[in-house]
Amino acid sequence: MTRKTESHYDVIVAGGGAGGIGAALGAARTGAKTCLIEKYGFLGGAATHSQVLAYCGFFQQGLEPVKAVGGAADLVLDALRATGMDGAPYRSPTTGNWIIVLEPEGVKLALDRVLAAHGVDVLLHSRVAAVTRTGKAIESVVVAGMDGRERLTAEAFIDATGDANLSLVTGVSMQTGNEHGYLQAASAPIRVGGLAPDLKVDRAAIIKALAFYNTTGDYPVARTDGGIYTRMPGSGDLWWMIIDLPMHDLSSQTFSRAERIMRASAHDYVQVLRETVPGFENAYLVQTGPQIGVRESRHPKARLRITGEDLIKGRQRPDGVARAGWPAELHTELGKPEYHSVGGAGYAHVPLDALRSAEIDNLYFAGRTIGADDLAYGSIRVMGTAFATGEAAGVAAANPELDGAQVAEMITEMGGLV
Ligand SMILES: Cc1cc2nc3c(=O)[nH]c(=O)nc-3n(C[C@H](O)[C@H](O)[C@H](O)COP(=O)(O)OP(=O)(O)OC[C@H]3O[C@@H](n4cnc5c(N)ncnc54)[C@H](O)[C@@H]3O)c2cc1C
């Protein structure tokens, strides 16, 4: 049985990752009565459920950190700092790009606080499972929660589920994977503990250990260069991006298999380090998941798509509502990412129509669900940019009468960068 809750919202946001947080803050800060629905028991999206422990996209590429996002993203940074996190830009020695290193428990707490401070109703342990529609509008979402099903109504809805689950149950047109149906690999960063704080991690020894594993191991490592790693602030754990798994489809069966292989691989890789790499004698697997990291899944049809060409030329436009400043990162060959820099002034504009459904008038997109071609998607999906596209979607959903330039003006007034 489905209960209908009395409260009616101006804006309902599905998904509590960076896109959803930006969207909820964007809507609530313009005065909209806002509800955010998240299937896990905590907020943060990939940062907290897939060990993606660095915010990318807060800064443009270059020798100095030039900000690409502000507004809602700044509120999140302030909340992170209040939990004791540093929040300072850090130039990755592996890629040369600017990132902000995260500690997942701090992220969860900071996001709880920032949404509460802005009066957003948050429903955790609640999955958007269905919608009701009237013609070209969504009327309500059906939420499967801890106490059964409940129906919530709103004026506008934002799909910030990453995997476009709200769009899926709405029944709009969508593309799976890239133009050719190819899905980027799923990857699982893992945490390794038990290392001395002053241990200098020896990449050559890790490469050797993995090469040895690849001669006999059950789960050959694609990242034969030793992967991407960094020591975590506080715990000193090694954050290690080493597992990549091809995804042929998005079925629960395929995901179940990937989760099982990911856990078994993580166990094996840490064991081979423990057995062969100096300084890793007491190493142990601190954590995988809670779930494997999904780079790409479905792309619902937007009114307009930001393109790779826009990005490479750093195209600015009058209807731009967010900046994309992260180099496009493509994962077409397993374990071998390829980067394309952003041109022009170092960022490209995301147009308002990339955040709007082509088919449903009151459906907006935020984060990974926005309209983007294959190459542009490699840039816009990062979490810094997701906060910004989320904020813009929130402002636009709460104020549907505004055009792109007016949405941009409102965002600028709230401290955002457009
Ligand atoms: C391995 C890997 C490494 C990456 N590295 C980086 C990096 O270093 N830095 C970076 O910035 N980005 C990185 N990315 C990309 C980035 O993590 C994602 O693109 C980003 O998290 C997108 O944010 P989002 O809010 O759109 O989606 P997500 O973070 O996926 O959040 C979506 C949220 O929606 C919730 N949800 C889904 N379906 C429903 C439903 N039906 N009902 C309710 N809730 C639902 C999910 O639980 C989740 O919390 C990486 C991605 C992967 C997979």
Side-chain angles (χ1 to χ4, degrees):
M1 201 183 90
T2 303
R3 286 179 291 114
K4 179 168 183 289
T5 305
E6 287 311 313
S7 32
H8 174 80
Y9 288 96
D10 296 318
V11 177
I12 285 181
V13 180
I21 300 294
L25 289 172
R29 289 175 85 205
T30 68
K33 185 175 177 202
T34 306
C35 176
L36 182 145
I37 301 163
E38 166 56 48
K39 72 178 179 186
Y40 286 115
F42 51 85
L43 301 170
T48 50
H49 67 51
S50 296
Q51 305 268 357
V52 178
L53 297 184
Y55 281 150
C56 300
F58 272 69
F59 302 95
Q60 297 178 190
Q61 234 180 346
L63 290 174
E64 296 300 322
V66 176
K67 276 178 77 167
V69 299
D74 277 345
L75 296 178
V76 170
L77 269 193
D78 289 344
L80 287 177
R81 289 193 190 103
T83 70
M85 232 179 283
D86 172 327
Y90 167 78
R91 193 150 188 264
S92 159
T94 328
T95 62
N97 294 319
W98 293 96
I99 58 175
I100 293 172
V101 179
L102 303 171
E103 193 281 297
E105 291 308 316
V107 174
K108 292 177 190 171
L109 178 64
L111 297 179
D112 282 345
R113 285 177 174 167
V114 78
L115 291 197
H118 289 86
V120 176
D121 284 351
V122 177
L123 273 183
L124 300 177
H125 289 288
S126 302
R127 177 188 287 262
V128 172
V131 303
T132 60
R133 274 173 66 169
T134 48
K136 286 181 73 184
I138 300 176
E139 185 191 44
S140 71
V141 287
V142 177
V143 177
M146 296 297 277
D147 53 351
R149 291 185 160 229
E150 116 180 79
R151 194 154 74 82
L152 299 173
T153 56
E155 298 300 313
F157 298 82
I158 301 178
D159 188 345
T161 59
D163 297 328
N165 289 322
L166 170 57
S167 301
L168 182 72
V169 295
T170 303
V172 297
S173 314
M174 52 180 63
Q175 175 185 304
T176 299
N178 73 7
E179 278 83 355
H180 313 290
Y182 173 81
L183 290 163
Q184 295 191 34
S187 298
I190 59 175
R191 280 173 87 153
V192 183
L195 309 181
D198 58 350
L199 174 73
K200 209 170 166 332
V201 178
D202 180 354
R203 181 174 287 274
I206 291 184
I207 291 173
K208 201 168 152 202
L210 296 177
F212 167 70
Y213 177 83
N214 277 355
T215 58
T216 53
D218 292 334
Y219 309 102
V221 184
R223 294 191 189 236
T224 48
D225 62 356
I228 300 175
Y229 55 76
T230 185
R231 297 296 287 273
M232 297 306 300
S235 67
D237 288 349
L238 185 82
W239 176 93
W240 194 23
M241 171 85 87
I242 191 63
I243 304 173
D244 302 281
L245 296 168
M247 298 295 288
H248 304 298
D249 61 48
L250 297 171
S251 66
S252 294
Q253 285 80 358
T254 298
F255 270 95
S256 303
R257 184 169 178 274
E259 296 282 5
R260 284 194 298 267
I261 293 177
M262 177 271 284
R263 281 190 281 275
S265 311
H267 174 87
D268 276 15
Y269 301 165
V270 174
Q271 187 168 338
V272 76
L273 296 192
R274 197 166 46 234
E275 288 170 357
T276 64
V277 177
F280 279 73
E281 294 78 8
N282 298 316
Y284 63 95
L285 182 60
V286 178
Q287 202 185 7
T288 60
Q291 70 152 74
I292 199 164
V294 179
R295 283 206 177 76
E296 143 164 79
S297 52
R298 306 179 190 91
H299 304 279
K301 190 169 181 195
R303 293 184 180 182
L304 202 146
R305 297 197 307 175
I306 174 172
T307 65
E309 195 186 340
D310 292 339
L311 201 79
I312 282 163
K313 291 191 170 154
R315 182 172 175 206
Q316 298 187 21
R317 35 193 310 157
D319 56 349
V321 290
R323 292 183 185 183
W326 186 255
E329 187 181 322
L330 292 186
H331 290 256
T332 31
E333 196 184 339
L334 214 58
K336 298 194 173 52
E338 163 195 322
Y339 293 93
H340 300 261
S341 294
V342 184
Y347 65 87
H349 269 149
V350 178
L352 177 60
D353 276 350
L355 313 183
R356 301 208 59 179
S357 163
E359 294 164 8
I360 299 287
D361 293 337
N362 66 346
L363 174 61
Y364 295 77
F365 304 131
R368 298 202 269 114
T369 57
I370 74 166
D373 74 4
D374 197 19
L375 187 56
Y377 181 75
S379 165
I380 59 84
R381 68 191 176 88
V382 294
M383 294 185 279
T385 313
F387 281 119
T389 58
E391 179 169 37
V395 170
N399 302 275
E401 71 289 355
L402 301 186
D403 65 19
Q406 291 164 320
V407 168
E409 202 179 312
M410 207 175 240
I411 290 171
T412 309
E413 278 165 20
M414 296 194 303
L417 294 174
V418 180

